[in-house]
Amino acid sequence: MASTKRPFGLQPVRIRGGSPNSGAVNTYRVGASAGPSDIGNGDPIKQIPGGQIQACTAATDYALGVAVGFKWVDPVTKRPTWSPYLPAGTSSADSNIYVQVVDDDRATFIVQADASVTLGDQGLNFELSAIASVNTTFGKSQAVLKASTRTTASKLVRLVALYDTPDNSWSDAYPIVEVRWVQHRDTQASAF
């Protein structure tokens, strides 16, 4: 029963059409230094002009995908560092920070809602909140489906279904739901 709010960001589940999640990721360059916000495992991210990567934070953002891991060269020890999250302002000794991204526009994800949603909300679009807020102990995103933003207008994600597990129900205070992209970079005509 999802009666406690324990956000974990977006976690890949499958590819629309029935294929299971294969774990496939692509690697993108964040830039020489990280942006102004932490990015956690499970945060939706975007690519901005110049190619750098940042967390999606505006309702009008088009997602590149979901971050699942990071790599950079520690400026002090000069050793490669792999991390489940990227602290704001991190820099790399080799001027290259990389992020692994689940970037398939057909991918679906599970995410916890910040309030109750119903069967009638299936097919509606939603924003996510608490993006770029990271549980630094585990490196997990704190992003949640923002239930109050349900609409037929364009938003970042669409509610596909209730995540099918024995302890999850539409009547739960914070249900875990499956979502898919509405605003994905590969679905828009312009590059950014």
Side-chain angles (χ1 to χ4, degrees):
M1 182 168 208
S3 58
T4 304
K5 189 174 172 185
R6 291 191 182 109
F8 52 82
L10 282 83
Q11 299 302 307
V13 178
R14 64 184 177 93
I15 302 299
R16 285 184 10 220
S19 299
N21 173 35
S22 66
V25 297
N26 283 304
T27 303
Y28 293 85
R29 185 174 182 270
V30 172
S33 61
S37 303
D38 293 348
I39 303 175
N41 179 316
D43 265 334
I45 58 171
K46 64 183 177 181
Q47 193 168 34
I48 62 172
Q52 291 85 10
I53 302 295
Q54 294 181 353
C56 290
T57 54
T60 56
D61 285 343
Y62 278 76
L64 170 64
V66 171
V68 294
F70 302 86
K71 177 189 173 275
W72 64 88
V73 177
D74 186 285
V76 176
T77 65
K78 308 295 188 234
R79 292 181 182 209
T81 302
W82 288 268
S83 177
Y85 84 103
L86 180 63
T90 298
S91 61
S92 181
D94 68 354
S95 296
N96 292 302
I97 299 173
Y98 296 98
V99 59
Q100 292 183 314
V101 182
V102 176
D103 63 355
D104 192 326
D105 66 333
R106 299 168 302 133
T108 69
F109 304 88
I110 58 170
V111 63
Q112 189 170 39
D114 68 352
S116 62
V117 291
T118 68
L119 176 64
D121 290 328
Q122 284 187 127
L124 293 179
N125 300 331
F126 293 82
E127 291 179 21
L128 300 171
S129 65
I131 298 169
S133 174
V134 178
N135 175 328
T136 57
T137 302
F138 302 106
K140 284 292 198 184
S141 166
Q142 299 297 286
V144 292
L145 182 88
K146 193 171 180 180
S148 65
T149 64
R150 64 179 57 82
T151 184
T152 56
S154 188
K155 294 291 180 187
L156 191 59
V157 296
R158 177 167 298 149
L159 196 153
V160 174
L162 181 73
Y163 186 55
D164 188 18
T165 59
D167 59 347
N168 192 38
S169 165
W170 286 116
S171 62
D172 291 347
Y174 307 103
I176 298 170
V177 295
E178 184 178 1
V179 297
R180 70 169 185 85
W181 296 119
V182 174
Q183 293 176 181
H184 189 275
R185 180 185 75 166
D186 292 347
T187 63
Q188 68 172 346
S190 62
F192 295 102

